[in-house]
Amino acid sequence: MQIITTKSELTRQSAACLRQGKTIGFVPTMGALHEGHVSLIRRACSENEVCFVSVFVNPTQFNNAEDLQKYPRTLEKDAQLLASLGVHFVFAPTPEEMYSAEEMAVPFVFDFEGLDKVMEGKMRPGHFNGVVQVVSRLFELVRPTRAYFGEKDFQQLAIIRYMVERSAMAPQFQGIQIIGCPIVREPSGLAMSSRNERLSVAEKQTAVAISQALISSLEWAKSADVATVQQRVIDTINAIEGLEVEYYDIVDKDTLQPTDKWQNAVGCVTVFCGSVRLIDNIQY
Ligand code: PAF
């Protein structure tokens, strides 16, 4: 496995693979790898001839300086794991390598036609502009055949699909297949997340109530309307000491707009467990 830190070396390696007619699987990450990432990487390795993974805590997608500062950075451990999984190339640049000073200072703006005005986009203004900024740059450099993203970040996945399928911004992205992979959960049901590393043992136990409420809501949805179930999920989670729901929205899977129908619906939740912001979702 080769660890690459410059954009020029990354393009050189990916261009060499493409010249040889190899398919490239790509998994963009911010590191602090867990079983959720492992499932994406295993799939990328098995479905493609070459596997690239990026490990980059992207500053432009954080709208909270403390969150950026506290984001776990574990490159050495991540690299060992990636080597054991059979990854061929890891791209781990510095922010200065990825962006010019101007790009760091001036927010990148992309028109998502409203996909970013709800849920995470509403709560974290500018977040998805930063995500699209880094993912589009990575796609330009790697030119993957297939790129893999977790369904835990449901809105992110929808926005990246939108960027690739409908964007006139970068016609060269149009052939890239975006593969969404199911949420990986701990045996307790807690959705795997790099942020779980910031939870104490007690908080981890408390946080299990989030997935329990979502799973129970599948039953509730059999006999109640969307608004009733939405409120019941919020009340159930808020009743647990140490948890506070930021939003629980039941939206259409494609438009991400609130829906009052169960057909094609997904429920997306964000909950503060102490100071740690956790997200999860369930498809009805
Ligand atoms: O999901 C993530 O870890 C990040 O948002 C991504 C896609 C790697 C972009 O920085």
Side-chain angles (χ1 to χ4, degrees):
M1 185 180 82
Q2 185 182 338
I3 299 184
I4 300 173
T5 55
T6 62
K7 289 183 289 197
S8 54
E9 177 63 6
L10 179 62
T11 5
R12 205 176 69 78
Q13 293 295 353
S14 81
C17 295
L18 293 172
R19 262 198 314 276
Q20 292 162 39
K22 292 185 173 159
T23 52
I24 297 181
F26 176 47
V27 184
T29 81
M30 297 207 298
L33 303 177
H34 50 69
E35 283 303 314
H37 296 112
V38 170
S39 73
L40 307 181
I41 294 161
R42 283 196 203 286
R43 204 163 155 193
C45 288
S46 73
E47 293 178 352
N48 302 277
E49 285 157 294
V50 194
C51 179
F52 284 68
V53 174
S54 61
V55 176
F56 177 60
V57 181
N58 174 34
T60 68
Q61 71 187 73
F62 285 80
N63 56 344
N64 176 325
E66 194 189 341
D67 197 21
L68 171 60
Q69 191 223 325
K70 287 197 172 154
Y71 203 88
R73 289 159 171 90
T74 55
L75 182 59
E76 216 171 291
K77 193 168 146 219
D78 292 343
Q80 281 169 15
L81 175 64
L82 293 170
S84 75
L85 292 170
V87 169
H88 301 90
F89 297 99
V90 177
F91 180 50
T94 60
E96 293 71 26
E97 173 66 18
M98 275 304 267
Y99 300 121
S100 65
E102 196 193 335
E103 284 171 331
M104 290 284 275
V106 182
F108 174 90
V109 180
F110 182 78
D111 181 8
F112 300 101
E113 293 185 4
L115 284 180
D116 63 328
K117 297 286 179 280
V118 293
M119 303 191 290
E120 285 303 279
K122 191 163 144 196
M123 295 301 165
R124 303 176 70 189
H127 167 67
F128 287 118
N129 286 311
V131 170
V132 164
Q133 180 179 31
V134 75
V135 172
S136 60
R137 174 136 319 160
L138 291 166
F139 281 4
E140 269 162 31
L141 298 167
V142 177
R143 296 296 176 103
T145 317
R146 298 181 188 87
Y148 297 79
F149 294 86
E151 285 177 353
K152 185 170 81 68
D153 295 295
F154 195 88
Q155 190 172 8
Q156 168 172 281
L157 177 58
I159 279 179
I160 288 166
R161 281 195 203 286
Y162 174 84
M163 174 187 102
V164 169
E165 284 165 15
R166 278 168 283 175
S167 166
M169 165 178 130
Q172 74 270 26
F173 293 163
Q174 275 170 13
I176 301 175
Q177 286 178 49
I178 302 298
I179 319 271
C181 303
I183 298 177
V184 178
R185 297 184 179 280
E186 304 216 357
S188 65
L190 179 66
M192 297 263 185
S193 164
S194 305
R195 288 196 163 84
N196 294 355
E197 288 199 13
R198 288 173 51 201
L199 298 172
S200 66
V201 174
E203 283 174 331
K204 253 192 161 184
Q205 277 163 8
T206 307
V208 170
I210 304 168
S211 55
Q212 281 173 347
L214 294 183
I215 291 161
S216 302
S217 76
L218 291 175
E219 258 325 289
W220 306 336
K222 289 181 184 161
S223 56
D225 62 23
V226 168
T228 307
V229 170
Q230 181 179 7
Q231 195 55 50
R232 190 163 171 192
V233 168
I234 295 172
D235 294 344
T236 305
I237 298 174
N238 280 341
I240 310 290
E241 207 185 315
L243 295 183
E244 198 187 332
V245 175
E246 187 178 54
Y247 65 81
Y248 180 56
D249 286 348
I250 299 177
V251 299
D252 179 89
K253 279 182 207 168
D254 301 315
T255 65
L256 301 184
Q257 299 309 307
T259 179
D260 56 7
K261 297 184 187 62
W262 287 120
Q263 200 188 7
N264 209 39
V266 57
C268 300
V269 76
T270 296
V271 180
F272 280 97
C273 180
S275 63
V276 184
R277 194 171 176 277
L278 300 173
I279 69 172
D280 200 347
N281 65 70
I282 195 108
Q283 300 193 32
Y284 291 101

